[in-house]
Amino acid sequence: MKMEIKTIGILGGGQLGRMSALAAAQLGINSHIYCPEDNCPASLVTPYFTCADYEDKSALSKFASSVDVITYEFENIPLKTIDFLAKLKPVYPEKKLLECSQNRLKEKAFLNSIGIETAPWAPCHSASDIDDTLRDWQTSECIIKTARFGYDGKGQIFHSDSSNSQESWVSLNTEEAVIEGLIKFDYETSIIVARDLLGNVASYPAVMNEHSNHILSKTIAPADIPLEIQEKAAKMAKKIAEAVDLVGILTLELFIINGDIVANEIAPRTHNSGHWTIEACPTSQFENHVRAVCGLPLGSTQPHHHAEMINLIGDDVKDVPKYMEMPNASVHLYGKAEARAGRKMGHVTILKDKI
Ligand code: AMP
């Protein structure tokens, strides 16, 4: 096959960008990282790095002229930056997906508009919206999340009849939020789907996720759930991928409740719950993302092993020597200098039984 793409531009410099750049290198494709922070994890694995603000038009133009295609590794890239770059080079995934995953209100409206169930939700612009919604729903409990910039449990609060609406609203420090009904889920899963330029779709099996202090701590792959739920999750992910004309990877986070699936959120990118695919699948989530945005055909997403992925958060890096002695463990460190509490320093994938 003729390789057209020599260099892929990646907006964002975190570990997802780093692992995408490593996957690109394996395919003989260079990566140029664009990130406002110096010494970011992705910049350390490629010589091509621009350290500049996302609004710096001159730096963006130079970056675009040095690459063949552009993608991003996190969802808070300003839409204006994408608009600017899209006039210069193809940017995948396209803006529609990014736009809806940047705002929880748009995201939920979009999911519901294509027939995908979410937790009950209502927009929130004041303390009285909280009281009015809870009265309408005839409940006293909910979760309130800022519409934008929330991650790892940040920008969200649990509200109950012992809370004061005004205090809850003020504590969110936002102008726009979403009120969500509390889902008493049995477990949390996520599913990653890839779609190429020709519209071919392939999904990895859904996985089961465990969190600690709102941060993903462990992923069990594939999830030990009935085939019927696996198929339902894959159908949902495919529906979203097609509705946004996805080129690349997206991740759908789901709650499973009484055998039913409720969508929580969409990440327009590769995901922490997909790191196990590096060792346990023929083609990792990172490689399939690179393949898709570079116009290459997707590789197999069928795992050959069960796997467990453990995040190394903060001081967990001290356990690395223990994992290094395990014959079935692969250690990944992201090159971050300081092990601050809550910081994802690396992960370990432990291969289990063959599938
Ligand atoms: P999110 O930022 O939306 O991914 O939420 C972070 C975590 O909060 C999720 O992984 C769930 O554990 C929990 N959570 C979020 N939304 C809900 C909900 N509507 N009901 C129950 N738990 C939730």
Side-chain angles (χ1 to χ4, degrees):
M1 184 195 318
K2 197 168 156 246
M3 270 288 205
E4 306 276 357
I5 303 285
K6 285 199 177 67
T7 305
I8 176 173
I10 302 177
L11 299 166
Q15 58 268 18
L16 299 176
R18 178 182 175 103
M19 288 183 271
S20 301
L22 292 171
Q26 194 182 320
L27 298 176
I29 297 169
N30 297 323
S31 295
H32 185 150
I33 306 297
Y34 189 109
C35 176
E37 286 111 49
D38 215 350
N39 274 319
C40 55
S43 71
L44 303 175
V45 299
T46 169
Y48 310 106
F49 176 48
T50 299
C51 184
D53 199 86
Y54 290 125
E55 323 262 316
D56 182 338
K57 288 188 176 164
S58 147
L60 288 170
S61 299
K62 260 197 207 158
F63 167 72
S65 68
S66 74
V67 302
D68 303 300
V69 65
I70 296 169
T71 188
Y72 44 88
E73 61 104 53
F74 91 126
E75 53 272 44
N76 290 325
I77 306 283
L79 293 176
K80 272 191 193 159
T81 303
I82 301 295
D83 285 338
F84 182 80
L85 289 171
K87 289 191 191 121
L88 306 171
K89 285 288 154 69
V91 181
Y92 301 121
E94 284 178 45
K95 191 173 138 191
K96 185 175 177 191
L97 174 62
L98 190 64
E99 202 166 10
C100 100
S101 53
Q102 281 184 354
N103 184 310
R104 292 187 192 268
L105 294 168
K106 283 189 184 161
E107 181 178 58
K108 287 184 198 302
F110 162 69
L111 287 167
N112 295 163
S113 76
I114 59 167
I116 291 181
E117 197 187 339
T118 56
W121 62 277
C124 181
H125 297 98
S126 66
S128 58
D129 284 343
I130 303 173
D131 295 327
D132 294 348
T133 302
L134 292 182
R135 196 176 319 111
D136 279 358
W137 290 354
Q138 299 185 0
T139 181
S140 57
E141 291 182 334
C142 65
I143 292 192
I144 313 170
K145 303 175 181 176
T146 56
R148 298 168 63 86
F149 303 120
Y151 69 99
D152 288 345
K154 292 190 179 69
Q156 63 175 266
I157 52 161
F158 171 70
H159 179 95
S160 69
D161 46 8
S162 62
S163 322
N164 172 296
S165 305
Q166 187 60 31
E167 282 171 17
S168 292
W169 174 244
V170 169
S171 75
L172 284 165
N173 189 25
T174 186
E175 286 173 5
E176 191 173 50
V178 59
I179 304 171
E180 276 187 41
L182 204 61
I183 303 288
K184 302 257 172 7
F185 53 81
D186 301 318
Y187 41 85
E188 293 187 66
T189 73
S190 52
I191 185 160
I192 293 174
V193 62
R195 187 167 176 271
D196 70 15
L197 265 168
L198 299 177
N200 298 303
V201 175
S203 58
Y204 295 91
V207 298
M208 206 172 290
N209 296 322
E210 293 174 17
H211 296 83
S212 161
N213 298 324
H214 296 287
I215 302 175
L216 181 70
S217 54
K218 189 197 268 190
T219 293
I220 296 164
D224 185 15
I225 53 177
L227 184 63
E228 186 194 321
I229 300 188
Q230 278 286 4
E231 286 172 354
K232 213 168 159 183
K235 257 194 201 161
M236 261 189 192
K238 184 173 183 206
K239 198 173 193 180
I240 297 171
E242 285 174 346
V244 297
D245 205 11
L246 175 72
V247 175
I249 288 257
L250 74 75
T251 307
L252 180 60
E253 294 181 17
L254 302 161
F255 299 135
I256 307 289
I257 169 169
N258 296 331
D260 213 357
I261 302 183
V262 172
N264 179 32
E265 68 177 353
I266 306 171
R269 52 167 170 78
T270 55
H271 197 260
N272 194 166
S273 68
H275 293 356
W276 64 281
T277 60
I278 298 175
E279 281 82 18
C281 295
T283 321
S284 73
Q285 60 165 347
F286 301 105
E287 180 175 338
N288 262 334
H289 183 70
V290 170
R291 286 191 188 209
V293 303
C294 292
L296 298 169
L298 299 176
S300 167
T301 52
Q302 291 312 303
H304 41 72
H305 277 82
H306 290 268
E308 210 171 277
M309 188 287 306
I310 297 160
N311 262 346
L312 300 174
I313 299 165
D315 279 345
D316 292 346
V317 275
K318 290 187 182 143
D319 296 335
V320 163
K322 173 184 91 185
Y323 291 119
M324 282 190 166
E325 283 185 11
M326 290 171 60
N328 53 343
S330 300
V331 175
H332 296 254
L333 293 171
Y334 305 148
K336 296 181 185 175
E338 230 189 304
R340 288 197 296 270
R343 195 172 199 206
K344 292 176 182 167
M345 302 301 295
H347 74 269
V348 180
T349 297
I350 301 174
L351 284 188
K352 303 279 181 169
D353 294 343
K354 270 193 179 164
I355 292 181

